[in-house]
Amino acid sequence: MSHHAVHQRVLGGEARSWALEALSAGRPTAVRHPLGFVCLPLERDGGEGVCIHLWSDSLAHAESTTSQIHCHSWDLVSHVLYGQVRNVHVLVTDTGTDATHRVFEVVSGPGGDRISPTGRTVRHATGLVEVFGPGETYTLAAGRFHSSVVPEGGEAATIALGRGRPGSRDLSLGPLDGGPHHVSRQPLDARETELAVRLITAHLT
């Protein structure tokens, strides 16, 4: 099913039924994402993709080598299946002598993420904090720095729809002295993948 078709089902109130159908159709190759969730990729067509993101303490987390503050090279539509997700907007100011973070470019490929420091140094402050619960949908344009936060110990899952925007880059804030490095995405084994699917399904049925 295409990005557009999934989006239409989400808008039509069929997000839960679509998620159950997609998960029952086969076991996706789930991976631990460095932003703290498990990603179950379900659709991919060129610059468009659809995933389910799962936050759960029942599964081990990957650790970020930069920070949770990032921006996408793609426009995001996120629909909360269950739980609570806070979309924390971050105000980034370019500066030199009093900078607290460096901007890193993240280039993802089949083998993982290549993370490279740029010459851009910044300070940041928390902006608008949006709180979304089950059945709610929010959007975020490419290039907007933010972090996605789930309350400590909380369980949540979202449908994430992404559409690439030409000329945009995936960026993350990291330490001023951080160097270039490569991060391999950690796949879940069969048992963990089954657990992830079971956790989501149990909340939706």
Side-chain angles (χ1 to χ4, degrees):
M1 184 177 290
S2 69
H3 175 286
H4 176 74
V6 176
H7 194 191
Q8 290 303 304
R9 290 194 63 176
V10 169
L11 293 176
E14 299 180 51
R16 293 167 70 96
S17 57
W18 174 82
L20 288 169
E21 291 168 14
L23 290 172
S24 65
R27 291 294 177 260
T29 305
V31 296
R32 278 178 257 276
H33 196 284
L35 292 176
F37 53 82
V38 166
C39 177
L40 294 88
L42 297 173
E43 309 285 348
R44 176 71 68 181
D45 183 15
E48 298 181 341
V50 182
C51 304
I52 290 181
H53 293 169
L54 168 65
W55 288 262
S56 175
D57 284 344
S58 298
L59 295 162
H61 301 171
E63 296 296 328
S64 172
T65 59
T66 50
S67 77
Q68 298 295 307
I69 301 172
H70 64 284
C71 71
H72 306 296
S73 61
W74 34 273
D75 296 323
L76 169 69
V77 176
S78 183
H79 177 87
V80 182
L81 290 167
Y82 62 85
Q84 183 189 93
V85 177
R86 296 173 188 165
N87 184 38
V88 181
H89 294 257
V90 177
L91 307 175
V92 172
T93 303
D94 290 76
T95 186
T97 56
D98 59 348
T100 58
H101 290 76
R102 184 174 299 280
V103 176
F104 287 74
E105 181 176 13
V106 182
V107 178
S108 300
D113 301 323
R114 189 176 76 249
I115 301 175
S116 304
T118 71
R120 184 181 175 191
T121 57
V122 301
R123 295 182 66 85
H124 70 83
T126 299
L128 176 67
V129 178
E130 303 171 297
V131 180
F132 299 96
E136 294 186 308
T137 302
Y138 65 95
T139 61
L140 189 73
R144 295 288 300 272
F145 278 98
H146 72 117
S147 61
S148 299
V149 180
V150 170
E152 186 173 353
E155 303 275 323
T158 64
I159 299 175
L161 300 98
R163 174 171 288 163
R165 184 181 291 188
S168 296
R169 299 187 296 168
D170 292 314
L171 302 174
S172 180
L173 300 191
L176 288 169
D177 58 355
H181 56 285
H182 183 273
V183 175
S184 298
R185 291 287 175 94
Q186 304 170 19
L188 275 67
D189 61 26
R191 181 192 62 80
E192 291 175 306
T193 300
E194 181 67 31
L195 174 58
V197 171
R198 194 163 65 246
L199 287 169
I200 297 168
T201 301
H203 278 88
L204 301 182
T205 54

